[in-house]
Coordinates of all heavy atoms in Angstrom, one line a residue:
L1 N -8.1 9.0 8.6 CA -7.9 8.2 7.4 C -6.5 8.5 6.8 O -5.8 7.6 6.5 CB -9.0 8.4 6.4 CG -10.4 7.8 6.8 CD1 -11.4 8.1 5.7 CD2 -10.3 6.3 7.1
F2 N -6.3 9.8 6.6 CA -5.0 10.2 5.9 C -3.8 9.7 6.7 O -2.9 9.1 6.1 CB -5.0 11.7 5.6 CG -5.8 12.1 4.5 CD1 -5.9 13.5 4.1 CD2 -6.5 11.2 3.7 CE1 -6.6 13.9 3.0 CE2 -7.2 11.6 2.6 CZ -7.3 12.9 2.3
P3 N -3.8 10.0 8.0 CA -2.6 9.5 8.8 C -2.5 8.0 8.8 O -1.4 7.4 8.7 CB -2.9 10.0 10.2 CG -3.8 11.2 10.0 CD -4.6 10.9 8.8
Y4 N -3.6 7.3 8.8 CA -3.5 5.8 8.8 C -2.9 5.3 7.5 O -2.0 4.4 7.5 CB -4.9 5.2 8.9 CG -4.9 3.7 9.0 CD1 -4.8 3.0 10.2 CD2 -5.0 2.9 7.8 CE1 -4.8 1.6 10.3 CE2 -4.9 1.5 7.9 CZ -4.8 0.9 9.1 OH -4.8 -0.5 9.2
A5 N -3.3 5.9 6.4 CA -2.7 5.5 5.1 C -1.3 5.9 5.0 O -0.4 5.1 4.6 CB -3.5 6.2 3.9
R6 N -0.9 7.1 5.5 CA 0.5 7.5 5.5 C 1.4 6.6 6.3 O 2.5 6.2 5.9 CB 0.6 9.0 6.0 CG 2.0 9.5 5.9 CD 2.1 10.9 6.7 NE 1.8 10.7 8.1 CZ 0.9 11.4 8.8 NH1 0.1 12.3 8.1 NH2 0.7 11.2 10.1
D7 N 0.9 6.3 7.5 CA 1.7 5.5 8.5 C 1.8 4.0 8.0 O 2.7 3.3 8.5 CB 1.1 5.6 9.9 CG 1.1 7.0 10.4 OD1 1.9 7.8 9.9 OD2 0.4 7.3 11.4
N8 N 0.9 3.6 7.2 CA 0.8 2.1 6.9 C 1.2 1.8 5.4 O 1.1 0.7 5.0 CB -0.5 1.5 7.2 CG -0.8 1.4 8.7 OD1 -0.3 0.5 9.3 ND2 -1.5 2.4 9.3
V9 N 1.5 2.8 4.7 CA 1.8 2.6 3.2 C 3.0 1.6 3.0 O 2.9 0.7 2.2 CB 2.0 3.9 2.5 CG1 3.2 4.7 3.0 CG2 2.2 3.6 1.0
G10 N 4.0 1.8 3.8 CA 5.2 0.9 3.7 C 4.9 -0.5 4.1 O 5.2 -1.5 3.4
R11 N 4.2 -0.7 5.2 CA 3.8 -2.0 5.6 C 2.8 -2.7 4.6 O 3.0 -3.9 4.4 CB 3.1 -1.9 7.0 CG 2.7 -3.2 7.6 CD 2.0 -3.1 9.0 NE 0.6 -2.6 8.8 CZ -0.2 -2.5 9.8 NH1 0.1 -2.9 11.0 NH2 -1.4 -2.0 9.6
H12 N 1.9 -1.9 4.1 CA 1.0 -2.5 3.1 C 1.7 -2.9 1.9 O 1.4 -4.0 1.4 CB -0.1 -1.4 2.8 CG -1.0 -1.8 1.7 ND1 -2.1 -2.7 1.8 CD2 -1.0 -1.5 0.3 CE1 -2.7 -2.9 0.7 NE2 -2.0 -2.2 -0.3
L13 N 2.6 -2.1 1.3 CA 3.3 -2.4 0.1 C 4.2 -3.6 0.3 O 4.3 -4.5 -0.6 CB 4.1 -1.2 -0.4 CG 3.3 0.0 -0.9 CD1 4.2 1.1 -1.2 CD2 2.5 -0.4 -2.2
D14 N 4.8 -3.7 1.5 CA 5.7 -4.8 1.7 C 4.9 -6.1 1.8 O 5.4 -7.2 1.3 CB 6.5 -4.6 3.1 CG 7.4 -5.7 3.4 OD1 8.3 -6.0 2.6 OD2 7.3 -6.3 4.5
A15 N 3.8 -6.1 2.5 CA 3.0 -7.3 2.7 C 2.3 -7.8 1.5 O 2.0 -9.0 1.3 CB 2.0 -7.1 3.8
T16 N 2.0 -6.9 0.6 CA 1.1 -7.3 -0.6 C 1.9 -7.1 -1.9 O 1.3 -7.1 -3.0 CB -0.2 -6.5 -0.6 OG1 0.2 -5.1 -0.8 CG2 -0.9 -6.7 0.7
Y17 N 3.2 -6.9 -1.9 CA 3.9 -6.4 -3.0 C 3.7 -7.3 -4.3 O 3.6 -6.8 -5.4 CB 5.4 -6.4 -2.7 CG 6.3 -5.7 -3.7 CD1 6.4 -4.3 -3.8 CD2 7.0 -6.5 -4.7 CE1 7.2 -3.7 -4.7 CE2 7.8 -5.8 -5.6 CZ 7.9 -4.4 -5.6 OH 8.7 -3.8 -6.6
G18 N 3.6 -8.6 -4.1 CA 3.5 -9.5 -5.2 C 2.1 -9.7 -5.7 O 1.9 -10.4 -6.8
S19 N 1.1 -9.1 -5.1 CA -0.3 -9.3 -5.5 C -0.6 -8.4 -6.8 O 0.0 -7.4 -7.0 CB -1.3 -8.9 -4.4 OG -1.2 -7.5 -4.2
A20 N -1.5 -8.9 -7.6 CA -1.9 -8.2 -8.8 C -2.5 -6.8 -8.5 O -2.2 -5.9 -9.2 CB -2.9 -9.0 -9.6
E21 N -3.2 -6.8 -7.4 CA -3.8 -5.5 -7.0 C -2.8 -4.4 -6.7 O -2.8 -3.3 -7.2 CB -4.7 -5.7 -5.8 CG -5.5 -4.5 -5.3 CD -6.4 -4.9 -4.1 OE1 -5.9 -5.0 -3.0 OE2 -7.6 -5.1 -4.4
T22 N -1.8 -4.8 -5.9 CA -0.7 -3.9 -5.5 C 0.1 -3.5 -6.7 O 0.6 -2.4 -6.9 CB 0.1 -4.4 -4.4 OG1 -0.7 -4.6 -3.2 CG2 1.3 -3.5 -4.0
Q23 N 0.4 -4.5 -7.6 CA 1.2 -4.2 -8.8 C 0.5 -3.2 -9.7 O 1.1 -2.3 -10.3 CB 1.5 -5.5 -9.5 CG 2.6 -6.3 -8.9 CD 3.9 -5.6 -8.8 OE1 4.4 -5.0 -9.7 NE2 4.5 -5.6 -7.6
Q24 N -0.9 -3.3 -9.7 CA -1.6 -2.3 -10.5 C -1.5 -0.9 -9.8 O -1.4 0.1 -10.5 CB -3.1 -2.7 -10.6 CG -4.0 -1.8 -11.3 CD -3.6 -1.5 -12.8 OE1 -2.9 -2.4 -13.4 NE2 -4.0 -0.4 -13.3
D25 N -1.6 -0.9 -8.5 CA -1.4 0.4 -7.8 C -0.1 1.0 -8.1 O 0.0 2.2 -8.3 CB -1.6 0.2 -6.3 CG -3.0 -0.1 -5.9 OD1 -3.9 0.2 -6.7 OD2 -3.2 -0.6 -4.8
I26 N 1.0 0.2 -8.1 CA 2.3 0.7 -8.3 C 2.4 1.2 -9.7 O 3.1 2.2 -10.0 CB 3.4 -0.5 -8.1 CG1 3.4 -0.8 -6.6 CG2 4.7 0.0 -8.5 CD1 4.3 -2.0 -6.2
K27 N 1.8 0.5 -10.7 CA 1.8 0.9 -12.1 C 1.2 2.3 -12.2 O 1.7 3.2 -12.9 CB 1.1 -0.1 -12.9 CG 1.0 0.3 -14.4 CD 0.3 -0.8 -15.2 CE 0.2 -0.4 -16.7 NZ -0.6 -1.4 -17.5

C-alpha cells in the first residue's frame, strides 16, 4: 500500500487536480 501511494501520488494529483476532493486534500 505505501509504495503504491508513493509511486502514484504524482499521477493521481495530475489526473484529479481540478476536483473538489483533491483540492481539499491539497488544502
Side-chain angles (χ1 to χ4, degrees):
L1 291 183
F2 282 178
Y4 184 90
R6 183 191 63 232
D7 296 342
N8 288 278
V9 61
R11 184 181 71 171
H12 172 81
L13 291 172
D14 181 58
T16 64
Y17 191 79
S19 69
E21 183 177 80
T22 295
Q23 284 301 308
Q24 178 61 25
D25 288 342
I26 292 174
K27 181 180 178 181

